[in-house]
Amino acid sequence: QSVLTQPPSVSGAPGQRVTMSCTGSSSNIGAGYDVVWYQQLPGTAPKLLMYSSTNRPSGVPDRFSGSKSATSASLAITGLQAEDEADYYCQSYDTDIGSRVFGGGTKLTVL
Amino acid sequence: HLQLQESGPGLVKSSETLSLTCTVSGGSMTSSTYYWGWVRQPPGKGLEWIGSVHYSGSTYCNPSLKSRVTISVDTSKNQFSLKLSSVTAADTAVYYCARDEMGIAADSWFDPWGQGTLVSVSS
């Protein structure tokens, strides 16, 4: 059971906008720690999608955006494409555990 | 561009030590900013950070694994290594190595990643 909670699945049709959440607590996101997002295509290694909660690495389309509020973070994808179908993981730091922690992952299905 | 590649046995016996090496190419490990990390993913499950090492040899690890983990670095070979002792079936996973971008920062990130290597623990 991860300290960062992600919905197991989300879905959307091509062209639509989808969002996925990463819910934490006062010992991680709520303590001011930033959130990282990774995209993991089937059978491949995770790929950095968003760092410091809202920053996109070069090469990541601006269809992807991140946000952070009190104890949670969100990843939004606009103009959904078939190639976006993947697992998405959030990551932060938890002071109670004393470790980097990952969410359980959200599987995005493009209908 | 920077590439990382894991190598090591794909099968380890229960109670023995898992040993993996990550070879870094296309860049040097000796930047003062970066750490170099290990992350694992059990089949069909999520990601777990194992630990990270600086080229100076400084390390920090997930407290849940700390007693069993040794991470070392060999800058002459541009490699870093993971040893995980007393393995059980619960240690069966794909093991990834990755650059820990802002290693000293708790909320650092991993980029890029190696392709991963599956290590199975047999009884």
Side-chain angles (χ1 to χ4, degrees), chain B residues 1 7 15 23 40 52 54-55 75-76 86-88 94 102 109:
Chain B
H1 67 284
S7 59
S15 79
T23 301
R40 69 180 182 178
S52 298
H54 189 253
Y55 82 91
T75 55
S76 68
S86 305
V87 297
T88 69
V94 175
M102 296 287 286
W109 55 92

Side-chain angles (χ1 to χ4, degrees), chain A residues 4-47:
Chain A
L4 300 179
T5 301
Q6 297 183 250
S9 63
V10 298
S11 62
Q16 283 189 333
R17 178 180 186 269
V18 297
T19 62
M20 57 189 77
S21 60
C22 175
T23 303
S25 67
S26 59
S27 64
N28 41 69
I29 301 173
Y33 292 101
D34 277 317
V35 177
V36 184
W37 291 92
Y38 300 95
Q39 177 192 59
Q40 186 174 33
L41 298 170
T44 69
K47 170 193 167 187

Side-chain angles (χ1 to χ4, degrees), chain B residues 75-118:
Chain B
T75 55
S76 68
K77 295 181 179 179
N78 239 27
Q79 293 177 335
F80 61 106
S81 299
L82 168 69
K83 292 187 186 297
L84 181 65
S85 63
S86 305
V87 297
T88 69
D91 295 309
T92 293
V94 175
Y95 286 76
Y96 296 100
C97 60
R99 185 174 66 184
D100 190 342
E101 199 80 10
M102 296 287 286
I104 200 67
D107 46 9
S108 176
W109 55 92
F110 299 100
D111 181 56
W113 296 57
Q115 65 183 30
T117 187
L118 175 62

Side-chain angles (χ1 to χ4, degrees), chain B residues 44-67:
Chain B
K45 296 187 178 181
L47 301 165
E48 180 180 35
W49 174 63
I50 300 170
S52 298
V53 62
H54 189 253
Y55 82 91
S56 63
S58 174
T59 61
Y60 64 115
C61 299
N62 188 325
S64 69
L65 297 169
K66 188 175 182 179
S67 64

